[in-house]
Amino acid sequence: MGRYVEGQDRTQSVLFPERLDDWIHEDSTVRVIDVFVEELDLGKLGFERAAPAATGRPAYSPATLLKIYVYGYLNRVQSSRRLETEAQRNLELIWLTGRLAPDFKTIADFRRDNGEAIRKVCKEFVLLCRRMKLFTDGIVAIDGSKFKAVNNRDKNFTDRKLAARIEQLEESIKRYLVELDRADRDAAAVLPGRVAHLKDKIIKVKQQIQALNEIGEQMKASEDGQISLTDPDARSMATSGRGTGIVGYNVQTVVDAKHHLIVAHEVTNVGHDRNQLAHMAKLAKEATAEDELIALADRGYYEGYEILECERAGIAAVVPKPMTSNNAAAGLFDKRDFVYDDKADQYRCPAGSIAIHRMTSEEAGKIQHKYWSSDCPRCPMKPRCTTGKERRISRWEHEDVLDVVQERLEGAPEAMRLRRQTVEHVFGTLKGWMGSSHFLTKTLPRVATEMCLHVLAYNLKRVIKILGTATLIKAMRA
Ligand code: SF4
């Protein structure tokens, strides 16, 4: 006779009660979270109520609340309401908190009030990884990705969006007025109820226009000509897909090429990566404590002064130059066709003529040296070179640094593949964990705290996979 695996009788009494600890596997990640938080000096990290108050009602220990959050972000439960529920029914959380189940407001307030300290906890784990010698290759990849904010697209306004919306509403009013005119001319053509409805609509649309004009006034005070109504720090930014964009934040991460751990990250509300290279590379150098660091980044990070700052900080940047030459687009010789001789400080052009230094000027905040040849007017190749009197070649005063970066890139053809393999899947993983959702908090500092918890969870999971629970716990206790 067939039978199934049988469960226990719910009403069966146990003679020797089991301990809560027996229910948690030796290799469970909650044991790592428990040891990690217990080993932290929460007072030094700046957590509120790190020492219990002498009077009043006892509060929850910050260690308990931090454990709940780390567990939550590690297990894709980020909302404070869901964490409240889980703390009451989830055996691992019950074990972790010692059967404490704070309400959602206590949980949410902890994240809101301890942002700075939570950020330090994230850094503490990176320091632990450094002590465990997990960043020994000295190669990191930098990248940015856009994450959705709470702010809906319709609640974000730019000059263009505002003008388009007002125009659309004015068009609607015109349409309604035309219909009302028709009703005036021939009362039978439009139903009486419709006339009242149209009048009502015109009032409402006028109110909307007025509200938009008020937003326009507020926008004048905004530095970047944008306003977000739900989350004031969220910004409309373009994403990689053509014609697509989101209202959100640009999260910058630096990932180590050996174990793909996030060594540094930052949440910004600037829609591009151009001014991030030096800052992020320096954060990574500080976190890894490497004397020499190689920083790989895509062409979105190519900016002269950023690269110069990296070189001065002992960071070897490897960044491809964007192909934005107007000359190349017009079918003319590109700057790469002109060979620079640094000893003689002159260029050799495609026709073999020498272009010498003629003048220096400042363009867009950069000192540019100008070179040209006196052979240009008589040159048979001139139609392929310039439409002007002579072809002028510009050289930034620190262009030697960019030449070094280009040589470095040409000497490492695998660099960009390594960059992609290192950093891009990290964003995929983080976004996968977040699901189709957006950040749960509003404003840049709170979103930054939320991101720290995501990064900490990512790094914890990764190190557990690399070293195993037992080794990690041993290292934490060392
Ligand atoms: S036009 Fe002037 S710079 Fe261009 S190829 Fe001729 S000589 Fe050289």
Side-chain angles (χ1 to χ4, degrees):
M1 191 181 135
R3 64 193 184 96
Y4 293 115
V5 177
E6 295 210 1
Q8 271 184 8
D9 182 353
R10 289 189 187 113
T11 57
Q12 173 72 53
S13 303
V14 185
L15 195 56
F16 298 106
E18 287 156 329
R19 297 177 312 151
L20 189 54
D21 197 55
D22 295 338
W23 289 84
I24 304 299
H25 194 275
E26 274 305 304
D27 286 337
S28 171
T29 51
V30 277
R31 292 190 184 275
V32 177
I33 298 169
D34 189 52
V35 175
F36 174 60
V37 175
E38 289 302 326
E39 291 295 321
L40 293 171
D41 184 342
L42 298 182
K44 206 168 142 197
L45 292 173
F47 279 95
E48 286 183 2
R49 299 199 190 97
T55 54
R57 192 164 162 256
Y60 285 106
S61 146
T64 304
L65 295 162
L66 183 60
K67 284 176 192 175
I68 293 177
Y69 265 119
V70 178
Y71 179 85
Y73 276 76
L74 208 57
N75 291 282
R76 307 190 200 182
V77 186
Q78 296 107 8
S79 116
S80 50
R81 284 179 192 268
R82 285 189 59 211
L83 281 170
E84 177 189 336
T85 311
E86 290 301 315
Q88 291 161 10
R89 69 180 182 190
N90 180 321
L91 202 59
E92 287 188 326
L93 259 182
I94 290 171
W95 177 90
L96 197 56
T97 60
R99 277 216 166 130
L100 293 175
D103 64 278
F104 76 89
K105 187 152 186 330
T106 309
I107 297 174
D109 287 352
F110 172 79
R111 183 172 54 188
R112 188 197 61 203
D113 299 337
N114 292 283
E116 194 54 44
I118 291 173
R119 273 171 249 164
K120 285 183 189 163
V121 170
C122 186
K123 282 187 185 164
E124 281 294 309
F125 190 74
V126 173
L127 274 176
L128 176 72
C129 296
R130 189 170 97 193
R131 284 203 297 277
M132 290 188 291
K133 308 219 177 309
L134 292 171
F135 310 134
T136 46
D137 275 1
I139 303 175
V140 293
I142 303 173
D143 204 0
S145 185
K146 316 288 175 4
F147 285 67
K148 272 194 276 180
V150 180
N151 205 101
N152 188 286
R153 279 169 78 126
D154 293 343
K155 298 267 180 179
N156 168 273
F157 297 94
T158 60
D159 288 353
R160 221 154 37 93
K161 274 192 202 173
L162 203 65
R165 184 79 188 115
I166 291 175
E167 197 185 318
Q168 213 177 23
L169 292 171
E170 283 172 347
E171 284 298 320
S172 301
I173 291 183
K174 272 188 210 161
R175 265 199 333 271
Y176 301 150
L177 287 174
V178 168
E179 217 171 323
L180 284 177
D181 275 352
R182 197 181 310 131
D184 283 347
R185 284 195 307 275
D186 178 6
V190 183
L191 292 171
R194 173 77 181 154
V195 172
H197 179 64
L198 286 173
K199 283 181 180 166
D200 197 34
K201 271 190 130 180
I202 289 173
I203 293 168
K204 282 190 181 144
V205 172
K206 279 185 177 168
Q207 283 168 349
Q208 283 180 36
I209 292 176
Q210 196 185 343
L212 290 175
N213 282 328
E214 280 165 19
I215 290 171
E217 284 303 312
Q218 290 171 34
M219 203 185 291
K220 283 179 191 159
S222 147
E223 270 177 30
D224 57 355
Q226 260 195 63
I227 274 199
S228 296
L229 298 183
T230 316
D231 177 352
D233 291 344
R235 288 290 173 268
S236 171
M237 34 186 90
T239 48
S240 48
R242 190 176 282 268
T244 62
I246 60 159
V247 177
Y249 291 91
N250 182 0
V251 178
Q252 297 287 317
T253 61
V254 189
V255 180
D256 109 283
K258 190 176 180 189
H259 291 301
H260 298 193
L261 291 162
I262 301 174
V263 295
H265 77 279
E266 191 107 322
V267 180
T268 76
N269 59 1
V270 180
H272 59 78
D273 303 328
R274 245 183 346 271
N275 305 327
Q276 300 294 340
L277 183 69
H279 176 58
M280 294 312 299
K282 281 182 189 173
L283 285 180
K285 192 161 189 277
E286 194 188 320
T288 56
E290 290 287 329
D291 293 334
E292 287 174 8
L293 189 73
I294 297 172
L296 314 172
D298 65 23
R299 53 185 90 244
Y301 286 85
Y302 196 93
E303 203 290 318
Y305 279 117
E306 292 289 320
I307 292 172
L308 179 66
E309 215 177 314
C310 283
E311 296 294 317
R312 284 177 177 166
I315 300 160
V318 182
V319 193
K321 192 174 179 183
M323 299 296 167
T324 52
S325 162
N326 291 336
N327 286 318
L332 303 174
F333 289 129
D334 185 27
K335 191 167 172 194
R336 287 170 299 173
D337 298 314
F338 296 79
V339 181
Y340 183 65
D341 177 348
D342 57 344
K343 285 198 184 75
D345 186 26
Q346 62 190 24
Y347 277 93
R348 187 163 40 78
C349 77
S353 293
I354 298 300
I356 59 166
H357 181 224
R358 306 271 183 174
M359 60 177 277
T360 297
S361 63
E362 192 181 328
E363 288 167 19
K366 286 183 177 166
I367 303 293
Q368 301 278 4
H369 302 302
K370 302 279 180 183
Y371 301 75
W372 66 86
S373 164
S374 42
D375 296 339
C376 290
R378 300 175 300 282
C379 174
M381 294 171 91
K382 191 165 172 269
R384 288 181 59 200
C385 197
T386 180
T387 51
K389 201 169 133 229
E390 70 265 318
R391 172 72 182 255
R392 295 188 175 200
I393 308 137
S394 297
R395 186 173 177 83
W396 180 41
E397 59 175 332
H398 300 296
E399 194 137 333
D400 49 333
V401 173
L402 304 185
D403 292 343
V404 169
V405 171
Q406 187 57 32
E407 275 171 34
R408 201 178 281 144
L409 185 69
E410 283 165 13
E414 292 299 297
M416 286 305 108
R417 196 157 66 92
L418 178 63
R419 183 202 72 77
R420 272 198 307 280
Q421 287 171 349
T422 303
V423 74
E424 289 189 354
H425 75 90
V426 175
F427 286 121
T429 306
L430 289 172
K431 286 184 176 174
W433 288 358
M434 286 171 83
S436 57
S437 177
H438 43 66
F439 282 119
L440 300 176
T441 51
K442 294 176 211 165
T443 71
L444 189 55
R446 290 182 193 171
V447 167
T449 307
E450 214 185 322
M451 197 64 215
C452 274
L453 287 163
H454 279 297
V455 168
L456 175 61
Y458 170 88
N459 280 344
L460 256 171
K461 213 170 215 178
R462 188 102 197 112
V463 177
I464 290 170
K465 198 161 188 190
I466 297 163
L467 300 178
T469 315
T471 315
L472 182 55
I473 288 178
K474 206 170 145 198
M476 282 171 174
R477 286 192 170 132

